[in-house]
Amino acid sequence: MLKLPIYLDNNATTPMDPRVLETMLPYFTQHFGNAASRNHPFGWQAEEAVDYAREQVAKLIGADPKEIIFTSGATEGDNLGIKGVFEMYASKGNHIITATTEHKAVLDTCKHIEKLGGEVTYLEVKANGLIDLQELEAAIKPTTILISIMYANNEIGVVQPVQEITAIARKHGILFFTDATQAVGKIPVDVNKDGIDLMTFTGHKMYGPKGIGALYVRRKNPRVKVTAQMDGGGHERGMRSGTLNVPGIVGFGKACELCRLEMEADTTRISVLRDKLETELMKLEEAYINGTTEARLPHVTNISFKHVEGEGLLMGFNKNIALSSGSACTSASLEPSYVLKALGLGDDLAHSSLRFGLSRFTTEEEVDYTIKAISETVLKLRDMSPLWEMYKEGIDLNSIEWAHH
Amino acid sequence: MDRIYFDNAATTTLDPKVLETMMPYLTQHFGNPSSIYSYGRESRLAIENARKSVAKILNAHPSEIFFTSGGTESSNTAIITAVRDLGCKNIISSKIEHHATLHTVEHLHQQGEASLNYVKLLEDGHIDMHDLETLLASASEKTLVTLMHANNEIGNILDIDTVGELCKKYDAIFHSDTVQTVGHFPFDLRNTHVHFITGAGHKFHGPKGVGILYINENITIKPFVHGGSQERNMRAGTENLYGIVGFSKALQLATEHYESDSIYIQSLKLYMSEQLKLKFDSISFNGDVFGKSLYTVLSVNFPKTEKSEMILFNLDINKICASGGSACTSGADAGSHVIRAINNNPNQVTVRFSFCKNNTKAEIDTVINKLAEMT
């Protein structure tokens, strides 16, 4: 039996896996200790649980548990990673390279750093959403201390060539930070194979709890350090103070373990569904996939339906299908997505996009329903659209002069 | 014998009623509060209702309440933004603050961003109000006063109104770390001259990983965590939805039962202190224990002997949970900076007992009997 509404916005947040919740529950009530309490078993049990979760998290990304710093989420991790490197390596330089399609947590942090006297280069991306490696290398200066490029994009799902990027960073002795919020748990990420120095990710994008995330900080080759952004009891090896969110950490650990064990099977199943959804929707006229399909997360597709207004499209079915036109963090604004604009899309296509994020829990029945509902809505809206009518009559819409009023 | 938990100043157990309220937000209501469809709107509504409820209880405006990841983040935000955004070039604090405050003010001082003065302490651990006024009067630059409301190790309660009035008189910014009192003490922020207060859910039977920062509506700071428009552009990051819902519920329960709970817990504290005095000749208490003191905390000094040096270890073997000081520093051998600041007697061993509504006199009797064997 199909249950409505269908949730297809798993890049915004995912439902928690019931197995994760089950693992967390004892840590709310029975094992409630403060992990920093060293004098009694409530504290020890909490600390043991945190240590175990730290191993689970580390294992998913091929790291050493000592390289995992728990944070309140990816945004805090982005802030700590970038500001922490900027402060710690101030004597080496003040230049950071990033890209225009990064998440706001990276972009706003970089803007803040510019106000503090830092210099930031924002790389444009190619039409397929990927950065140009030659441009990256050309942007490097003697003062460059950090390259910050996201692993996979939150709106279009494209996966950056991380290994090639880190090869360039290594060649020039520059640290590499990646916001891997959308990638970790969905595709294989290995900090050593990938040559990553710092990486942020979060529980609630991989069927774990909200309010918990991690920053990976490399300890060997090279040993990386960040300046703490919150001072206090010296938790997390002095890099992040604050009483540990034990149930959150336990849930995050479990979520990482499940992703590690089930990623392959999940990916096989989900990518079939994603491909079906995409293939069927692309049968509509004037539909365009945004970003490359060659290097992309297996559960994501972002499609623009020309001459259909995105918000109108959403209204057509959002009682029954939870979807968004872009990032949740900016979805309250009616501005077109800055990510799609960066790919070179005009306002017409940028305004008519839908982001689909499937999950471990998405069923074929839900996908079939979605294909039908969206196809019907697009056709209906186009039927009512004078733009579509003109387009069908062969009028070049770019040649029309619009009257201002 | 079940374990006895007398370390409620470190953290408390989650109230089952709070967990019950959180459960829907751990399962079916999981939407990102920034999303515009039904899942997201339900989450947004839950957060804004939580904010309203918290504001009402503290007698503040909802726009003055910001959800954070906990007390440490809240205090860091308040202190750092007071210096960087509100122009405070001088900080007045005390040596018995929590490390979330102390290490932050020390860091700012070391970076050359502000000068730092510690207010004198009286023998009973209270701050010297005359000295505070002297420091405020002699400050040539805009000043931040950061003094905690109730001390987490000795329980002393600051006269927040008097400090607030002094800050008002000298046009200083006032931050109070209220992590030990939010949920344990009635607040009337509308009528209190304070710019920032902080709270942490896990100190009053709410969840870990969530806290609040109250920012008085008359001041404007810039965000401390950058990257999204959450918390009205003040604190970026996807909201810890179930944590926020749990924080609000825990505060609501704590407030509803404040009168009976505080009287009951105070009676436990008094009973334990009386029993200790009866059974042990040479014990003493730290702080203004029978005066202006939080009813949850009792800090006891035992004379140092070969046996008593092992007291925490032996308490633990006997399934009694207490601590030497703050949990946040309990791993360090340096001992408590708070106790050192008020009572520099090397010939004693300090144990902090901290109580909650779930503790009983029978538990205290057990602990007293066990202590007799240990000292």
Side-chain angles (χ1 to χ4, degrees):
Chain A
M1 204 18 219
L2 184 66
K3 228 182 107 214
L4 297 175
I6 294 165
Y7 187 74
L8 283 180
D9 197 17
N10 288 282
N11 293 23
T13 191
T14 52
M16 197 141 74
D17 192 300
R19 293 170 291 180
V20 170
L21 178 57
E22 202 183 307
T23 315
M24 289 166 72
L25 284 175
Y27 293 90
F28 282 122
T29 46
Q30 296 112 279
H31 310 309
F32 62 85
N34 185 324
S37 291
R38 295 285 161 79
N39 305 118
H40 54 70
F42 283 98
W44 302 335
Q45 276 174 344
E47 196 189 12
E48 264 169 46
V50 167
D51 286 345
Y52 186 69
R54 204 184 297 281
E55 282 174 32
Q56 290 172 313
V57 172
K59 207 165 178 186
L60 176 63
I61 58 165
D64 184 287
K66 289 197 192 78
E67 298 177 313
I68 303 297
I69 309 295
F70 287 116
T71 65
S72 66
T75 295
E76 191 195 326
D78 284 331
N79 275 257
L80 174 56
I82 297 173
K83 292 177 192 169
V85 164
F86 179 72
E87 287 182 37
M88 181 61 73
Y89 296 88
S91 61
K92 290 188 83 177
N94 70 339
H95 179 230
I96 295 173
I97 301 172
T98 186
T100 55
T101 51
E102 293 290 305
H103 189 270
K104 282 279 177 212
V106 168
L107 292 177
D108 283 1
T109 302
C110 286
K111 296 238 161 66
H112 176 72
I113 279 176
E114 285 181 286
K115 283 185 202 145
L116 298 178
E119 188 192 353
V120 182
T121 300
Y122 300 91
L123 298 175
E124 301 284 329
V125 297
K126 299 180 283 188
N128 64 7
L130 301 179
I131 63 159
D132 184 318
L133 294 171
Q134 283 173 333
E135 271 179 39
L136 168 68
E137 192 156 15
I140 293 173
K141 305 177 183 195
T143 51
T144 307
I145 49 172
L146 185 70
I147 296 172
S148 169
I149 301 290
M150 71 204 308
Y151 208 110
N153 187 271
N154 54 313
E155 293 196 26
I156 54 178
V158 301
V159 177
Q160 297 288 351
V162 170
Q163 294 188 7
E164 280 97 325
I165 297 171
T166 58
I168 293 171
R170 294 254 155 152
K171 191 171 119 193
H172 294 271
I174 297 165
L175 294 177
F176 176 73
F177 168 87
T178 187
D179 175 347
T181 302
Q182 298 290 344
V184 170
K186 310 292 172 54
I187 55 173
V189 171
D190 184 304
V191 289
N192 289 314
K193 277 186 209 151
D194 291 340
I196 294 164
D197 297 313
L198 301 113
M199 178 169 84
T200 187
F201 50 110
T202 185
H204 78 101
K205 307 279 191 192
M206 52 163 104
Y207 317 108
K210 293 179 178 63
I212 188 72
L215 176 68
Y216 160 81
V217 182
R218 177 172 288 281
R219 266 166 74 85
K220 271 198 301 218
N221 310 315
R223 185 182 178 89
V224 179
K225 279 175 142 182
V226 293
T227 303
Q229 299 298 304
M230 297 202 301
D231 292 314
H235 308 78
E236 298 297 275
R237 303 196 344 276
M239 289 196 237
R240 201 280 186 183
S241 289
T243 297
L244 292 174
N245 176 356
V246 180
I249 289 170
V250 166
F252 186 28
K254 183 68 179 178
C256 285
E257 182 179 273
L258 292 173
C259 284
R260 182 171 58 81
L261 298 174
E262 299 176 4
M263 186 187 298
E264 217 178 298
D266 277 350
T267 298
T268 309
R269 198 183 65 81
I270 298 169
S271 60
V272 168
L273 293 180
R274 191 272 312 267
D275 291 346
K276 180 176 187 185
L277 176 71
E278 190 171 82
T279 311
E280 292 302 315
L281 290 178
M282 288 302 290
K283 287 180 182 163
L284 291 164
E285 276 179 273
E286 293 293 309
Y288 301 89
I289 297 172
N290 296 312
T292 180
T293 54
E294 307 282 314
R296 194 168 50 150
L297 294 172
H299 59 287
V300 179
T301 181
N302 185 310
I303 305 176
S304 287
F305 304 93
K306 204 169 190 178
H307 307 312
V308 177
E309 210 273 312
E311 299 301 319
L313 191 51
L314 284 175
M315 266 189 269
F317 51 75
N318 71 359
K319 263 195 195 135
N320 294 331
I321 308 171
L323 264 184
S324 77
S325 51
S327 162
C329 296
T330 47
S331 66
S333 96
L334 289 173
E335 290 285 301
S337 150
Y338 67 89
V339 172
L340 296 181
K341 298 276 278 184
L343 303 190
L345 268 66
D347 275 352
D348 53 346
L349 279 178
H351 263 305
S352 65
S353 69
L354 290 180
R355 172 181 74 171
F356 300 88
L358 281 65
S359 83
R360 184 182 281 168
F361 306 108
T362 305
T363 64
E364 180 155 20
E365 201 184 6
E366 290 177 334
V367 167
D368 290 339
Y369 179 93
T370 304
I371 293 166
K372 188 161 176 282
I374 291 181
S375 303
E376 284 173 3
T377 310
V378 169
L379 293 175
K380 195 173 106 199
L381 289 175
R382 281 178 175 169
D383 264 352
M384 301 188 299
S385 160
L387 290 178
W388 184 249
E389 203 176 312
M390 285 192 272
Y391 165 78
K392 293 303 270 184
E393 286 164 4
I395 300 170
D396 178 4
L397 291 173
N398 291 324
S399 70
I400 298 175
E401 278 189 33
W402 302 98
H404 291 279
H405 56 96
Chain B
M1 181 182 118
D2 280 341
R3 278 191 286 198
I4 295 174
Y5 187 75
F6 281 178
D7 199 14
N8 289 284
T11 192
T12 55
T13 176
L14 192 75
D15 190 310
K17 288 191 209 100
V18 175
L19 181 57
E20 206 178 296
T21 311
M22 287 161 63
M23 278 306 273
Y25 297 93
L26 286 157
T27 52
Q28 72 267 33
H29 298 310
F30 62 86
N32 186 320
S34 297
S35 299
I36 51 177
Y37 40 74
S38 59
Y39 284 101
R41 290 197 308 269
E42 285 159 10
S43 300
R44 166 72 44 224
L45 187 66
I47 288 175
E48 294 316 318
N49 284 338
R51 194 188 316 280
K52 276 185 211 155
S53 167
V54 170
K56 193 166 179 216
I57 287 170
L58 302 175
N59 197 19
H61 194 270
S63 67
E64 297 174 313
I65 304 296
F66 297 87
F67 290 108
T68 67
S69 69
T72 295
E73 183 189 324
S74 295
S75 282
N76 272 261
T77 305
I79 294 167
I80 291 173
T81 59
V83 169
R84 296 189 183 156
D85 301 335
L86 302 177
C88 295
K89 296 283 173 231
N90 178 38
I91 299 173
I92 299 173
S93 188
S94 88
K95 292 230 160 126
I96 59 170
E97 297 298 303
H98 188 274
H99 277 162
T101 294
L102 270 186
H103 288 167
T104 305
V105 298
E106 283 163 6
H107 178 76
L108 290 165
H109 177 54
Q110 278 160 14
Q111 296 290 315
E113 295 188 55
S115 57
L116 175 60
N117 291 288
Y118 294 110
V119 65
K120 279 186 194 142
L121 296 170
L122 303 172
E123 210 164 300
D124 61 6
H126 285 302
I127 67 147
D128 182 336
M129 290 288 178
H130 294 294
D131 189 48
L132 176 62
E133 178 148 21
T134 309
L135 287 172
L136 278 166
S138 64
S140 55
E141 289 171 301
K142 179 112 176 160
T143 297
L144 165 70
V145 173
T146 169
L147 292 169
M148 69 203 303
H149 191 204
N151 187 277
N152 55 317
E153 295 198 29
I154 59 173
N156 274 24
I157 291 189
L158 178 79
D159 184 345
I160 201 170
D161 291 311
T162 303
V163 175
E165 287 310 314
L166 281 175
C167 289
K168 193 174 176 183
K169 184 172 165 191
Y170 293 97
D171 194 27
I173 297 292
F174 180 28
H175 160 245
S176 188
D177 168 358
T178 52
V179 163
Q180 293 291 342
T181 46
V182 166
H184 295 287
F185 192 90
F187 279 87
D188 179 6
L189 292 173
R190 188 102 318 177
N191 299 303
T192 311
H193 185 83
V194 63
H195 297 97
F196 299 102
I197 74 160
T198 59
H202 75 102
K203 302 289 190 192
F204 53 95
H205 306 288
K208 293 180 177 64
V210 61
I212 57 157
L213 174 62
Y214 158 85
I215 306 176
N216 185 281
E217 62 190 355
N218 295 320
I219 55 172
T220 310
I221 62 164
K222 294 191 183 112
F224 178 65
V225 179
H226 296 89
S229 52
Q230 291 91 352
E231 297 296 291
R232 303 184 306 289
N233 286 316
M234 190 59 77
R235 199 282 183 185
T238 300
E239 297 89 338
N240 179 354
L241 174 63
Y242 69 85
I244 289 170
V245 168
F247 183 101
S248 161
K249 181 68 180 181
L251 186 60
Q252 182 207 323
L253 290 172
T255 306
E256 274 170 22
H257 302 289
Y258 165 69
E259 241 164 89
S260 53
D261 283 352
S262 60
I263 291 169
Y264 173 68
I265 298 169
Q266 173 77 10
S267 76
L268 293 178
K269 173 176 166 172
L270 286 177
Y271 180 70
M272 178 137 189
S273 61
E274 280 159 15
Q275 293 299 307
L276 283 166
K277 281 192 281 189
L278 273 176
K279 296 274 165 62
F280 303 91
D281 301 330
S282 40
I283 56 123
S284 61
F285 301 107
N286 291 308
D288 185 16
V289 65
F290 305 112
K292 283 187 220 152
S293 179
L294 190 62
Y295 52 89
T296 52
V297 177
L298 182 65
S299 175
V300 187
N301 301 314
F302 295 92
K304 194 181 247 182
T305 63
E306 238 170 69
K307 261 175 124 181
S308 74
E309 274 193 286
M310 301 293 286
I311 199 164
L312 283 171
F313 180 75
N314 283 323
L315 279 169
D316 169 49
I317 288 186
N318 286 286
K319 298 190 171 178
I320 296 160
C321 304
S323 75
S326 160
C328 296
T329 48
S330 60
D333 293 329
S336 157
H337 66 283
V338 176
I339 303 301
R340 230 178 14 250
I342 56 160
N343 171 12
N344 206 1
N345 181 351
N347 296 314
Q348 61 190 27
V349 175
T350 304
V351 182
R352 175 184 71 177
F353 300 98
S354 49
F355 310 102
C356 79
K357 61 185 180 179
N358 302 329
N359 294 131
T360 63
K361 281 189 179 171
E363 288 180 325
I364 292 174
D365 289 335
T366 309
V367 172
I368 296 283
N369 288 332
K370 292 286 176 192
L371 279 169
E373 299 166 17
M374 290 175 206
T375 51

